Amino acid sequence: QVQLVESGGGLVQAGGSLRLSCAASGSINRINAMGWYRQAPRKEREWVARITSGGVTNYADSVKGRFTISRDNAKNTVYLQMNSLKPEDTAVYYCAAEFLPYGSWGQGTQVTVSS
């Protein structure tokens, strides 16, 4: 099992920045990649960013150039640095760990961007 705990959400004005953290514990050697997803009110959950165990990163077009995913292997933590935030970035952000057979999700952290 892998447990994930997110932190770092909050309220920020448009144009501001936040950094989300996701601390992993448990069978972390099984993890192939880590990702961030988000779900806005009345919308489906959408993928935001992903980083593999080898450090390869990918981003959704909506956040490319504004968000950066990174990892600190010594701390078993993945980060999502979010800059130039927009009101449409408002959502609950979830951390996800990819491993067989089902992966694991964190509990989510709320990000609210005011206009």
Side-chain angles (χ1 to χ4, degrees), residues 9-84:
L11 173 64
V12 64
Q13 288 187 334
S17 299
L18 280 176
R19 188 177 80 157
L20 305 183
S21 300
C22 173
S25 60
S27 302
I28 57 175
N29 58 313
R30 299 175 58 191
I31 299 173
N32 298 316
M34 298 284 291
W36 287 95
Y37 291 73
R38 66 187 182 186
Q39 188 166 17
R42 299 173 297 280
K43 292 188 177 181
E44 294 187 354
R45 189 173 297 189
E46 64 173 356
W47 169 72
V48 174
R50 180 177 183 263
I51 185 166
T52 69
S53 56
V56 177
T57 58
N58 296 95
Y59 299 91
D61 288 343
S62 59
V63 306
K64 200 172 294 183
R66 300 187 298 122
F67 291 10
T68 302
I69 188 170
S70 62
R71 61 192 300 159
D72 184 333
N73 291 330
K75 296 182 178 180
N76 298 325
T77 300
V78 173
Y79 303 98
L80 186 68
Q81 178 67 43
M82 306 185 294
N83 299 328
S84 303

Side-chain angles (χ1 to χ4, degrees), residues 6-7 9-10 18 20-21 35-40 45-49 62-63 66-67 80 82 85-96 105-113:
E6 300 104 331
S7 62
L18 280 176
L20 305 183
S21 300
W36 287 95
Y37 291 73
R38 66 187 182 186
Q39 188 166 17
R45 189 173 297 189
E46 64 173 356
W47 169 72
V48 174
S62 59
V63 306
R66 300 187 298 122
F67 291 10
L80 186 68
M82 306 185 294
L85 282 161
K86 305 175 181 180
E88 51 263 45
D89 294 318
T90 294
V92 177
Y93 282 71
Y94 297 90
C95 177
W105 291 90
Q107 82 287 354
T109 185
Q110 176 70 47
V111 172
T112 303
V113 184

